[in-house]
Amino acid sequence: AQKVTQTQTSISVVEKTTVTMDCVYETRDSSYFLFWYKQTASGEIVFLIRQDSYKKENATVGHYSLNFQKPKSSIGLIITATQIEDSAVYFCAMRDMNYNQGKLIFGQGTKLSIKP
Amino acid sequence: EAAVTQSPRNKVTVTGGNVTLSCRQTNSHNYMYWYRQDTGHGLRLIHYSYGAGNLQIGDVPDGYKATRTTQEDFFLLLELASPSQTSLYFCASSETGANTEVFFGKGTRLTVV
């Protein structure tokens, strides 16, 4: 069965520092896709970055990067040079390639607060 | 930019009442999803669909029905609403392909009193 778990309920860091948010997942599929989404204070949910399970290189987009550790079923989100506007709730999500017909499931979310 | 429109944005109903939440996407996406968001639980999948007439069961389907009438329209039905269904509901859509991103609507806040 698919499962995505985020155990960090909230994190607070000082502006311009680096933060890492954790996520672990379960799947029976050998190929799958992992995503991170951001929910802003207004409630809007937007896509940030994706990791393909068959790629060894960690994905990077702007100041977002991923720490993909396949043997540990772990996909961490790293935000460097954090800004106040990075304050939001971050969700990890997963889709199998071969099973579950497009089912996309999310973790519980981590609330990130950036302090000046 | 993909557009997913939910209506109503806010709804209050009584216990035992009928409620229909509507979602329309205008980007010819095949996949559509209904999630509920609750503190401590994140986004939980209720139902999803990969095309008109298709319905797939999500992880928290009890008490909900859904119907995909066209490629654009996906409805969530609560036929006997209960206070436990008070939540923030999101609709989302995506293209076919497991690697595609989903686009979310702005959400519907439902309160069952």
Side-chain angles (χ1 to χ4, degrees):
Chain A
Q2 292 174 297
K3 188 176 182 181
V4 176
T5 304
Q6 296 175 254
T7 57
Q8 298 162 303
T9 304
S10 63
I11 300 174
S12 181
V13 300
V14 176
E15 189 180 13
K16 301 180 184 176
T17 61
T18 296
V19 64
T20 299
M21 284 172 272
D22 301 328
C23 175
V24 293
Y25 58 90
E26 296 176 24
T27 177
R28 63 172 175 152
D29 203 339
S30 58
S31 294
Y32 47 90
F33 301 92
L34 301 161
F35 306 83
W36 280 89
Y37 286 79
K38 173 184 179 180
Q39 185 176 34
T40 62
S42 68
E44 182 184 17
I45 302 173
V46 296
F47 165 75
L48 291 178
I49 191 169
R50 185 189 85 228
Q51 179 74 40
D52 302 346
S53 66
Y54 48 84
K55 292 186 178 179
K56 292 185 178 180
E57 303 78 22
N58 290 319
T60 298
V61 175
H63 75 143
Y64 302 107
S65 61
L66 298 177
N67 179 19
F68 181 42
Q69 299 184 59
K70 195 169 184 179
K72 295 184 179 180
S73 296
S74 171
I75 182 73
L77 174 68
I78 303 167
I79 306 176
T80 57
T82 51
Q83 304 162 13
I84 298 296
E85 51 266 35
D86 291 324
S87 296
V89 178
Y90 290 82
F91 291 100
C92 177
M94 179 178 69
R95 251 207 204 113
D96 291 340
M97 178 182 280
N98 300 306
Y99 297 104
N100 297 309
Q101 204 75 43
K103 183 179 181 182
L104 176 68
I105 62 167
F106 287 79
Q108 298 86 341
T110 297
K111 183 177 182 180
L112 176 64
S113 299
I114 308 296
K115 300 179 294 185
Chain B
E1 180 73 15
V4 180
T5 304
Q6 294 183 233
S7 62
R9 295 293 315 280
N10 291 280
K11 176 75 177 178
V12 179
T13 191
V14 296
T15 299
N18 288 345
V19 177
T20 297
L21 306 185
S22 302
C23 178
R24 165 166 284 202
Q25 55 94 5
T26 57
N27 291 280
S28 302
H29 287 169
N30 286 327
Y31 283 107
M32 295 187 74
Y33 304 82
W34 277 107
Y35 293 91
R36 61 177 289 174
Q37 183 177 15
D38 305 286
T39 303
H41 294 280
L43 292 162
R44 292 184 291 175
L45 182 63
I46 305 171
H47 291 297
Y48 64 110
S49 165
Y50 56 76
N54 174 264
L55 181 65
Q56 301 293 315
I57 305 300
D59 293 328
V60 290
D62 292 347
Y64 302 96
K65 292 185 179 179
T67 179
R68 180 89 177 268
T69 54
T70 65
Q71 185 176 34
E72 294 78 20
D73 298 304
F74 195 28
F75 300 94
L76 186 67
L77 295 75
L78 292 73
E79 294 185 331
L80 286 172
S82 73
S84 64
Q85 295 176 306
T86 293
S87 187
L88 180 59
Y89 291 86
F90 284 97
C91 177
S93 73
S94 76
E95 297 179 11
T96 303
N99 63 343
T100 58
E101 67 178 280
V102 293
F103 295 88
F104 282 85
K106 295 182 183 298
T108 295
R109 181 156 306 274
L110 174 67
T111 303
V112 183
V113 298

